[in-house]
């Protein structure tokens, strides 16, 4: 596979995971926000929908940010410029997605 194909695959998989989490949060009815997915002996809240959603997002953000920083550091060492710390999601258009392919 070529580099373009790998970039596309990686981006699409990342986007799919974020979309799945987003859909679960968006479509969760208010009365299910505290529904229990599993029993947690240490703290009952740990098994609730709201905590599991928070935990998934927090772990994903932390993990992705850490590796993004490593990747950015390597790129900077090799003279790559044009990127900066991103503080909020960008609005992605269909033309932006086409440029990833």
């Amino acid at each position: 596979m070529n580099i373009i194909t790998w970039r596309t695959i990686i981006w699409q998989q990342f986007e799919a995971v974020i979309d799945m989490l987003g859909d679960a949060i968006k479509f969760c009815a208010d009365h299910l926000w505290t529904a229990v997915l599993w029993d947690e002996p240490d703290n009952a809240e740990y098994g609730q929908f709201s905590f599991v959603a928070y935990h998934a997002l927090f772990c994903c953000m932390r993990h992705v940010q850490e590796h993004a920083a490593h990747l950015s550091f390597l790129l900077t060492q090799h003279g790559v410029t044009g990127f900066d710390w991103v503080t909020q999601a960008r609005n992605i258009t269909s033309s932006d997605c086409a440029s990833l392919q």
Side-chain angles (χ1 to χ4, degrees), residues 4-58:
I4 302 296
T5 303
W6 276 112
R7 285 180 181 160
T8 301
I9 290 169
I10 291 167
W11 182 254
Q12 287 174 342
Q13 290 304 300
F14 176 72
E15 193 173 52
V17 168
I18 296 301
D19 286 349
M20 285 177 63
L21 179 60
D23 285 351
I25 293 168
K26 181 169 83 174
F27 294 115
C28 181
D30 290 347
H31 72 280
L32 294 176
W33 196 244
T34 55
V36 176
L37 282 95
W38 56 76
D39 292 324
E40 276 292 332
D42 294 333
N43 186 332
E45 289 181 337
Y46 292 168
Q48 290 180 352
F49 181 95
S50 58
F51 189 86
V52 173
Y54 162 78
H55 181 76
L57 179 60
F58 180 77

Side-chain angles (χ1 to χ4, degrees), residues 86-91:
V86 178
T87 58
Q88 65 183 33
R90 296 181 181 109
N91 290 325

Side-chain angles (χ1 to χ4, degrees), residues 8 11 15 90-101:
T8 301
W11 182 254
E15 193 173 52
R90 296 181 181 109
N91 290 325
I92 302 292
T93 65
S94 57
S95 62
D96 293 330
C97 292
S99 69
L100 292 173
Q101 299 181 18

